[in-house]
Amino acid sequence: MVELSIFLIGGNDDTIPLDGSQDIVLGSGFRGTGIAPTNVRIQNSAGDGGVWRSSRRTQREFDLPITVLGTSREAVEALLRRLSAALSDRSKAPRLRAVYSDGTGPFDIEVHYTGGAETVWGSDAGATFCRWGITMTAPDPYWTSVDSESSFLGADPDPRGLLPRLANLPVKSSQVIGAFTVENAGDVNAFPTWTFRGPMDDVTVTAATGQSFAYIDPILEDETITIDTFAGTVVDQDGVNKYGSLGASPKLFSIPAGRSTLNVEATGTSPGVDGVGATLITCSYKPRREVIH
């Protein structure tokens, strides 16, 4: 049977395994895997019943029955304070990480503590323990792969071959027109990050659905433009906002689950010399899925 291991990665970057290896145990009654709750909008119809209008997944709720063990009350309290620090979201959101015993994963989900850390002390066979029933909420109900999938047009950005599922289409002098297939192994749409490394005069990216966006200003040889479709941001290599350089009515589309085709057209490109000064267009994304166990 494939087992599921859960880790808490704090907003302070402290990684805490919840398998008891560090005297912090996630007990039975853990809730948060499976299919996320759904909000269904149904309007009354003129006849019997109603008419379905839409469905959307809502935030995911977690219950973590945690037991902290120690040789003394002071040892347990130190672990409780470690947990408390990890649950803080003052600097950034904590994450839960899921890893299957067959090597599938890891998958992360951002969470925010909402309650349940009321201290219940106990002792057994000379050991001291404390139980917390921690509750958390995940704004995004889907778990996101820690590892990215990448495809590119241009010179190989990773000659060692470490990037997964690469689709390499060569850049010819002055123009690149290419269609390549991406495979989203997740359960739902993934939000790609595009990077355009110059030189190029302009670039247009189009999905099979017809949605598209274009970057219409020249990108010099030493410049890189990054478009994050999830955050809806466009910045250069110095972090300067370049959203105004997008063409009219841009659609920063996501990539559906399964196989889909993307088209890229760019002008003013260069193959470079031995990989130097070469145009490079990269699409990377992290599959999102339900963690079911």
Side-chain angles (χ1 to χ4, degrees):
M1 178 181 177
V2 177
E3 298 295 334
L4 184 69
S5 297
I6 300 293
F7 301 79
L8 172 64
I9 303 177
N12 58 357
D13 294 324
D14 184 12
T15 299
I16 303 176
L18 303 180
D19 59 358
S21 60
Q22 297 186 15
D23 292 329
I24 300 175
V25 184
L26 179 62
S28 60
F30 168 61
R31 183 174 70 93
T33 56
I35 299 176
T38 302
N39 184 300
V40 180
R41 188 166 70 92
I42 298 177
Q43 292 182 339
N44 292 331
S45 65
D48 295 335
V51 178
W52 173 85
R53 295 301 183 189
S54 65
S55 297
R56 65 177 183 86
R57 295 293 167 85
T58 62
Q59 65 266 22
R60 185 183 293 273
E61 305 295 332
F62 286 91
D63 290 328
L64 280 73
I66 288 179
T67 300
V68 177
L69 308 169
T71 56
S72 66
R73 194 179 182 99
E74 290 76 17
V76 172
E77 183 177 338
L79 290 175
L80 292 175
R81 291 188 178 279
R82 181 185 176 191
L83 268 175
S84 176
L87 290 171
S88 174
D89 55 6
R90 292 177 181 174
S91 57
K92 60 182 178 180
R95 291 167 287 151
L96 290 178
R97 175 164 293 177
V99 182
Y100 289 94
S101 59
D102 65 355
T104 304
F107 303 96
D108 282 3
I109 189 168
E110 289 191 352
V111 291
H112 297 268
Y113 168 75
T114 57
E118 290 85 16
T119 303
V120 179
W121 290 94
S123 60
D124 184 31
T128 300
F129 64 84
C130 176
R131 292 193 175 97
W132 275 359
I134 294 174
T135 59
M136 295 185 291
T137 298
D140 182 345
Y142 294 105
W143 300 70
T144 301
S145 173
V146 173
D147 299 319
S148 298
E149 303 289 348
S150 298
S151 299
F152 67 93
L153 298 170
D156 191 341
D158 182 23
R160 297 170 298 171
L162 299 180
L163 290 175
R165 298 183 183 176
L166 293 176
N168 181 8
L169 296 179
V171 171
K172 297 181 179 179
S173 180
S174 299
Q175 187 177 39
V176 57
I177 301 177
F180 60 96
T181 300
V182 294
E183 185 81 29
N184 176 7
D187 297 326
V188 294
N189 286 22
F191 295 89
T193 295
W194 292 87
T195 57
F196 305 140
R197 188 184 73 192
M200 66 185 81
D201 291 338
D202 56 64
V203 57
T204 300
V205 182
T206 306
T209 60
Q211 294 178 304
S212 69
F213 64 89
Y215 191 89
I216 58 177
D217 283 347
I219 305 172
L220 302 180
E221 180 179 320
D222 59 347
E223 292 181 332
T224 299
I225 299 299
T226 301
I227 299 177
D228 185 332
T229 63
F230 181 78
T233 58
V234 182
V235 298
D236 67 9
Q237 68 282 350
D238 298 319
V240 176
N241 182 11
K242 293 292 185 177
Y243 194 92
S245 293
L246 292 181
S249 303
K251 300 294 188 296
L252 302 182
F253 57 84
S254 57
I255 298 175
R259 181 172 296 180
S260 57
T261 300
L262 305 177
N263 289 275
V264 176
E265 298 183 25
T267 63
T269 62
S270 171
V273 179
D274 296 329
V276 178
T279 299
L280 178 64
I281 298 171
T282 305
C283 170
S284 63
Y285 57 92
K286 295 182 177 181
R288 303 160 67 230
R289 65 178 296 178
E290 307 274 18
V291 167
I292 297 176
H293 190 264

